[in-house]
Amino acid sequence: MAEPTQCRILGPLEVLVGGRPVALGGRRPRALLATLLLDAGRVVPTERLTAAVWGDELPGSVRAQVSIHVSALRRALERAGCAHPMIETVPGGYLVRTDALRLDADEARRCLDEARDAVDKGFVDKAAELLRYALSSWRGPVLAELTGSDITGSSLTTGAARLEELRLTIAEEWADVELGRGGHRAVSGELRALVAEHPLRERLRARLMRALAESGRQSEALDAYREGRRVLVDELGVEPGAELRRVEQAVLTGEIGPATRPDESTPGGPASGDTVPARDDAVPSSLPRDVASFTGRAAEVERLGELIRDGGALAIAGAGGVGKSALAIHLAHLVADRFPDGRLYVDLHGSTPDGVPLEPAAVLVSFLGALGVPTSAIPSGDDELDAMFRSLTHRRRLLVVLDNAADARQVRRLMPGGPGCAVVVTSRRVLGALDSATSLTLDVFDDDDAHELLARIAGRERVETEPGATADVVRMCERLPLALALAAARLASRPSWSVRDLADRLAGEHGRLSELTVDDQGVRASFMVSYADLDDPHTGRMFRLLGLLDGLDVGVPVAAALADVSEDRAEEVLDRLVDAQLAQTRAPGRYHMHDLLRLFAHERAVAEETEEARVRARRRAVHCYVGTALTASSIVAPSYAWRTDLAPTTLTHPGVALTSVADVNAWVEVERDNLIAAARQAASGDEPGVAMSLAAALDAPLEYRGRWREQLTVGEIALQAATRTGDPRHLGLAHNDLGWAYNTLGYFTEALDHLEQGLARWQSVGHREGEALTLHGIGVVCRSLGRLDRALDCLGRASRLGDPGRAATCLTSTGLVYHRLGRLTEAVAAHEASVALAREKGTMRTEVIALGNLAEAHRLAGTADRAVATFREALAAGRATGYAGTYWEAEHLWGLGRALHDLGMDGCDSWQRSAAILLALGLVGPEEAAEIERNPDPETPAAIIGQL
């Protein structure tokens, strides 16, 4: 009898057939199978499957999409050797047949039931073994790779939570069995880890306290109780329950105590050599209270805590509102017990609104007084103050927190003299001149920590019931801790508001900074301190002008155009903004600021720059993009000059001087999001003609890279601009570009509609080049739709209307129609004619594409050896034109792999190189690329099938 299929959901989703994992495909089919497995043996309605797999982003043909994924899963299971059909279609939905599989979650439940029965019968050893085995079934968080996805709905998360509850129940009952048979040492480590994961779970904490006390570690047991009480009060506002209080009382009275006499090596006992001196009122401790809502920063806390635990200096820099002070104070509390001679804290007011930074001498006087020096004995001279402070701290273990420093000069004299002392400094500036200090620049929260902070302040249930709105609030707060805390405080003080109410209020950009203000705290005020501290008017002006651009980041050339300065000057000023934490840089020559800072910069530009100055600055930046795009188009598609002539623009900036295809490709990859933002900004502003010019110039460079989705977006912007200009040639070009983009993405009906609209516009003004281009597109789309007679007709008309370059491209497209008709001899002839004409006219790109199509025709005709030679010729010619890393190289590499495979040779290297390019271009996902990597005969990616 065949072994049942093994399905594992207690960790990452895994299906094993004959002990070998099954390749299940991408995230959506995996999410669908996981949803079925969570309710194995029961019907799961199609509606619940779609909600689990797509969340709120439902596709138009949702039932068909479910059916497609189910079919793909069935094929994958069948190919893997699954003996019995596992997924069954039933009225209203689908179910997973439990007789066809062995599910780890069901096995864990069975072990729990058998363990309970064993306990009832007095077989505690057997019960402990069963429960231990059940716990070992968990390989990590349940379905973690799916429940964290932004595409899946809440039912997966709910199902995972049910199984996590099962795990905790098993752990608690295992602890009870082990403690009952004297196994307190065996369970304490496991329970401590579980309590750290679930600090609000009182039953777990009670068992941990008992295990510690029975191991002779009463003080640790009581510490566990005190920590639990703190968490419950801070998080839920409630005192510990009756069970936890009873265990605490039993530990205090000795009712629960050592099961055996602990020796000096008892884990958790005092380490030899540790001495804790008696504390008295003379030991200074001026740390502020730890922040009750302190959240996240786990990696930083662990690493930085180790750095200063035994002394040393740490400098934490970061933008206003990023949480520097909160981290420093939290760190100080964590390591405070390591510094028995005192903890000193001072706010140096280096970035306090309307504040004056404290002078080091005044701080030293305060420190000396706190260390017990009588006022009459404190010297007045700077040198004497410094010497006394160094002398007093030389042999002490002292912790000093210097918060909100203005610069290194303010801090340097306040560094204690002893090697056993630790110093933590926070500043908005990077204090590179601070000797021997380890530096950290603090960034905004990640998504998990951002959600956690909102939950802690506004209420966990409140934010978890509106995950979409919560994600919007996190996004609009830019994960900046100050902004998140203020947003959460507004929710906490307004119980009638939903999270969506707040998200809607934040959605209006111009009012967002005002919404993020509570009492005397506000994001705007925090930013204003850093802005006002800029001592160079050119730096302040650059900051303001950057707020006028909508792009994600900015390169030095565009910033120089924006501010009308040289590139050297622009880079110098941008680096000053980085030093002031008013901008960031993650790559040489690229600078960005998060949205809240950009909104503040825009406010300052409106307040301090005239409207005329703002318009001129924006125009210079956009014109820099346009000038570069025109150069890029002339390099990769010189025959397309007629396109850019349709929207002539007098430029105020010539753009970047690109000189090669490699330059163009690199520029497109770095700037594509900014180019789209610039085009959209121009199309909706007062320069729709400039937007049209940018769109006309961008199409060829984007198409050359295979950036088809970006082509679609640019086409939509072009149509918006063309509608505003009203020029029929602009409308013809916009509809044409949209049609070609829709075609390459597989939306053939939409493609044909736009191309026919474009053709009508071209014909209305008698524009032959445009008409030829669009007829070519209609022919290509009709081939994809199976309307092959019309495809041949349109391609023939396009060939006659266009120039020789157009005729060459139409010939190879005609050859692809012959592929579909099975007329491979004619296909070969058409491609060979295209190659010859392209070579005659010097259109290298068409020659390379036609060579690739010719190679595929040879392969389909059964002459794989000729196909291999021709694909290699196409690849060599393409690389000579600088097409490395483009879609076309990926297509030709894939074809070479197929031809080699047809000859009985190994095509894997070619397929894998092709997949790497497609992955970089966003045309396949990581799962599909990984499947190609491990499959000796992978399926051709849809991105390539659609072009052939």
Side-chain angles (χ1 to χ4, degrees):
M1 183 175 178
E3 182 183 349
T5 300
Q6 290 181 281
C7 296
R8 299 176 177 176
I9 57 177
L10 302 180
L13 174 63
E14 190 174 55
V15 177
L16 304 175
V17 175
R20 299 178 63 184
V22 179
L24 300 172
R27 188 181 295 274
R28 287 198 166 101
R30 294 171 66 84
L32 187 148
L33 180 58
T35 306
L36 290 170
L37 289 172
L38 285 168
D39 281 300
R42 293 188 290 271
V43 176
V44 180
T46 303
E47 291 75 14
R48 178 138 53 95
L49 283 174
T50 59
V53 175
W54 283 277
D56 296 330
E57 303 295 330
L58 294 181
S61 54
V62 64
R63 289 184 179 274
Q65 291 292 324
V66 170
S67 177
I68 289 169
H69 287 317
V70 169
S71 298
L73 285 168
R74 285 170 173 160
R75 286 196 303 273
L77 292 165
E78 184 179 352
R79 283 198 301 267
C82 187
H84 304 287
M86 197 171 84
I87 305 174
E88 185 174 333
T89 304
V90 296
Y94 299 85
L95 66 78
V96 162
R97 295 176 47 187
T98 54
D99 61 345
L101 59 87
R102 193 166 78 240
L103 184 64
D104 56 356
D106 288 344
E107 291 186 17
R109 294 187 188 98
R110 177 184 56 77
C111 286
L112 176 60
D113 292 340
E114 291 181 10
R116 287 170 173 171
D117 183 60
V119 169
D120 290 343
K121 294 175 180 177
F123 302 136
V124 292
D125 290 345
K126 180 181 178 183
E129 182 181 348
L130 285 164
L131 292 168
R132 179 72 264 178
Y133 177 79
L135 282 177
S136 70
S137 300
W138 270 264
R139 296 168 292 115
V142 175
L143 301 172
E145 83 280 23
L146 297 173
T147 54
S149 169
D150 59 359
I151 66 167
T152 52
S154 61
S155 61
L156 278 174
T157 304
T158 302
R162 288 201 309 267
L163 292 176
E164 181 63 13
E165 179 64 29
L166 173 65
R167 174 191 175 217
L168 296 177
T169 298
I170 293 171
E172 289 162 354
E173 298 197 19
W174 169 70
D176 287 340
V177 170
E178 287 287 4
L179 290 169
R181 65 176 190 159
H184 41 270
R185 295 183 189 274
V187 300
S188 59
E190 185 87 19
L191 288 173
R192 193 184 290 278
L194 286 167
V195 167
E197 288 182 50
H198 303 275
L200 300 175
R201 184 90 173 188
E202 294 188 53
R203 293 182 64 198
L204 277 176
R205 193 175 294 274
R207 283 150 181 78
L208 172 62
M209 290 174 62
R210 181 179 166 191
L212 291 169
E214 290 184 359
S215 299
R217 297 150 71 181
Q218 280 83 355
S219 63
E220 290 184 58
L222 294 173
D223 283 343
Y225 174 81
R226 286 189 287 270
E227 173 62 15
R229 181 182 180 278
R230 184 191 68 77
V231 171
L232 288 165
V233 171
D234 287 351
E235 297 284 338
L236 304 178
V238 299
E239 291 289 337
E243 181 181 13
L244 211 53
R245 294 198 304 272
R246 280 198 302 271
V247 175
E248 182 214 20
Q249 191 62 30
V251 173
L252 288 169
T253 61
E255 181 182 343
I256 299 178
T260 58
R261 179 185 176 85
D263 57 27
E264 292 182 0
S265 63
T266 300
S272 61
D274 277 359
T275 58
V276 180
R279 308 289 180 91
D280 56 37
D281 292 339
V283 176
S285 185
S286 55
L287 287 178
R289 291 185 59 185
D290 199 358
V291 181
S293 60
F294 185 84
T295 302
R297 307 292 192 196
E300 291 92 339
V301 167
E302 181 178 2
R303 182 169 71 89
L304 301 180
E306 288 299 323
L307 284 172
I308 63 169
R309 196 175 302 277
D310 296 313
L314 172 64
I316 303 173
V322 82
K324 303 179 295 296
S325 297
L327 174 60
I329 292 167
H330 184 68
L331 276 173
H333 279 281
L334 288 179
V335 301
D337 288 347
R338 306 281 296 188
F339 300 95
D341 296 325
R343 283 79 58 191
L344 295 171
Y345 170 89
V346 63
D347 181 348
L348 294 171
H349 296 296
S351 299
T352 302
D354 302 321
V356 177
L358 296 181
E359 285 298 323
V363 177
L364 284 174
V365 169
S366 172
F367 279 179
L368 291 171
L371 291 169
V373 179
T375 303
S376 59
I378 295 176
S380 56
D382 285 351
D383 292 343
E384 291 82 2
L385 276 173
D386 295 352
M388 179 176 283
F389 182 63
R390 288 195 300 271
S391 176
L392 275 176
T393 59
H394 181 65
R395 296 188 180 278
R396 299 196 186 202
R397 288 189 55 77
L398 190 71
L399 172 64
V400 180
V401 179
L402 305 173
D403 197 10
N404 199 5
D407 50 33
R409 181 202 65 82
Q410 191 186 26
V411 167
R412 199 169 284 113
R413 292 174 58 193
L414 307 179
M415 306 286 282
C421 295
V423 185
V424 181
V425 185
T426 74
S427 176
R428 294 197 180 190
R429 296 179 178 275
V430 176
L431 304 181
L434 200 59
D435 295 339
S436 72
T438 299
S439 296
L440 167 74
T441 299
L442 203 59
D443 204 350
V444 296
F445 274 158
D446 61 24
D447 281 333
D448 289 342
D449 287 348
H451 281 78
E452 180 63 20
L453 181 59
L454 279 177
R456 287 194 173 194
I457 299 175
R460 191 169 305 279
E461 181 178 356
R462 192 173 182 187
V463 301
E464 289 180 354
T465 55
E466 294 186 78
T470 299
D472 287 344
V473 170
V474 168
R475 175 176 54 80
M476 287 183 285
C477 288
E478 288 287 318
R479 295 180 283 118
L480 184 70
L482 173 61
L484 289 163
L486 293 170
R490 284 178 73 79
L491 278 176
S493 64
R494 292 162 176 79
S496 63
W497 280 17
S498 66
V499 183
R500 175 53 60 195
D501 289 333
L502 176 61
D504 289 344
R505 295 175 73 93
L506 292 175
E509 284 195 348
H510 295 301
R512 189 177 304 169
L513 294 177
S514 297
E515 290 292 333
L516 295 174
T517 302
V518 175
D519 298 330
D520 60 342
Q521 285 191 304
V523 172
R524 180 187 286 113
S526 177
F527 292 163
M528 181 59 85
V529 174
S530 295
Y531 175 67
D533 196 38
L534 295 174
D535 54 7
D536 173 22
H538 298 291
T539 308
R541 178 170 175 267
M542 177 67 83
F543 175 75
R544 294 191 297 273
L545 295 181
L546 288 175
L548 301 176
L549 300 181
D550 290 345
L552 297 179
D553 66 353
V554 66
V556 172
V558 177
L562 179 74
D564 199 18
V565 297
S566 70
E567 291 188 18
D568 287 345
R569 180 63 168 154
E571 188 163 23
E572 176 188 341
V573 170
L574 289 164
D575 284 336
R576 288 181 186 172
L577 288 175
V578 172
D579 291 340
Q581 301 296 324
L582 288 172
Q584 294 175 295
T585 179
R586 295 193 179 121
R590 307 297 304 180
Y591 299 83
H592 69 279
M593 56 176 63
H594 60 68
D595 271 359
L596 294 175
L597 259 177
R598 183 179 58 80
L599 291 175
F600 175 73
H602 188 274
E603 282 187 354
R604 299 322 310 156
V606 171
E608 299 181 42
E609 302 284 340
T610 66
E611 182 177 0
E612 182 183 0
R614 298 197 302 271
V615 169
R616 285 201 307 268
R618 265 193 302 261
R619 181 176 294 133
R620 287 192 299 268
V622 173
H623 286 202
C624 181
Y625 285 128
V626 175
T628 312
L630 290 170
T631 302
S633 183
S634 70
I635 291 172
V636 299
S639 62
Y640 271 17
W642 65 267
R643 289 175 53 95
T644 53
D645 290 343
L646 294 176
T649 300
T650 302
L651 297 177
T652 59
H653 193 284
V656 179
L658 308 176
T659 59
S660 66
V661 172
D663 285 349
V664 172
N665 290 341
W667 178 74
V668 167
E669 290 306 302
V670 169
E671 294 284 12
R672 64 179 185 272
D673 292 328
N674 296 322
L675 291 165
I676 290 170
R680 185 175 283 118
Q681 199 167 8
S684 60
D686 57 358
E687 289 193 294
V690 171
M692 197 66 228
S693 181
L694 182 55
L698 282 177
D699 187 76
L702 289 172
E703 198 269 344
Y704 198 88
R705 290 296 297 163
R707 288 291 177 185
W708 299 328
R709 295 190 182 280
E710 287 85 352
Q711 272 187 290
L712 180 64
T713 302
V714 171
E716 290 168 341
I717 295 169
L719 185 57
Q720 177 189 355
T723 302
R724 291 188 62 197
T725 68
D727 188 324
R729 299 172 305 162
H730 294 173
L731 288 164
L733 188 63
H735 281 297
N736 172 84
D737 291 357
L738 274 172
W740 278 95
Y742 273 123
N743 171 70
T744 53
L745 292 169
Y747 300 102
F748 304 123
T749 302
E750 294 88 343
L752 191 57
D753 176 62
H754 279 290
L755 288 166
E756 287 177 337
Q757 289 189 64
L759 182 62
R761 298 306 197 283
W762 294 127
Q763 290 173 337
S764 72
V765 293
H767 197 289
R768 289 176 61 90
E769 293 94 339
E771 190 176 346
L773 175 62
T774 304
L775 274 170
H776 184 180
I778 292 173
V780 171
V781 173
C782 285
R783 173 176 62 85
S784 299
L785 291 171
R787 303 173 189 176
L788 302 183
D789 289 340
R790 189 182 179 201
L792 290 173
D793 175 64
C794 289
L795 290 169
R797 290 164 58 196
S799 181
R800 292 188 294 273
L801 274 171
D803 60 17
R806 176 61 51 202
T809 60
C810 287
L811 275 170
T812 195
S813 294
T814 300
L816 292 176
V817 178
Y818 289 145
H819 289 200
R820 298 288 178 96
L821 289 166
R823 294 156 57 178
L824 296 175
T825 301
E826 292 170 271
V828 168
H831 295 315
E832 286 177 340
S834 176
V835 171
L837 183 56
R839 282 176 178 166
E840 178 187 340
K841 298 302 177 183
T843 53
M844 289 291 295
R845 183 167 173 274
T846 300
E847 177 189 340
V848 170
I849 293 171
L851 278 170
N853 292 338
L854 174 61
E856 181 66 7
H858 284 313
R859 191 185 74 81
L860 294 173
T863 52
D865 53 343
R866 294 187 66 183
V868 167
T870 310
F871 272 124
R872 285 174 172 160
E873 183 182 358
L875 285 162
R879 288 163 187 160
T881 67
Y883 93 153
T886 65
Y887 163 78
W888 303 110
E889 184 184 28
E891 181 185 297
H892 298 159
L893 282 167
W894 192 272
L896 175 61
R898 276 274 163 245
L900 290 168
H901 184 75
D902 292 348
L903 288 171
M905 301 170 69
D906 185 1
C908 289
D909 179 66
S910 291
W911 290 329
Q912 289 167 8
R913 288 159 63 197
S914 174
I917 295 171
L918 294 174
L919 179 64
L921 294 174
L923 299 177
V924 299
E927 295 90 353
E928 189 173 359
E931 174 63 16
I932 292 168
E933 179 79 26
R934 57 178 172 259
N935 194 329
D937 185 14
E939 295 181 2
T940 301
I944 292 177
I945 291 174
Q947 301 306 304
L948 296 175

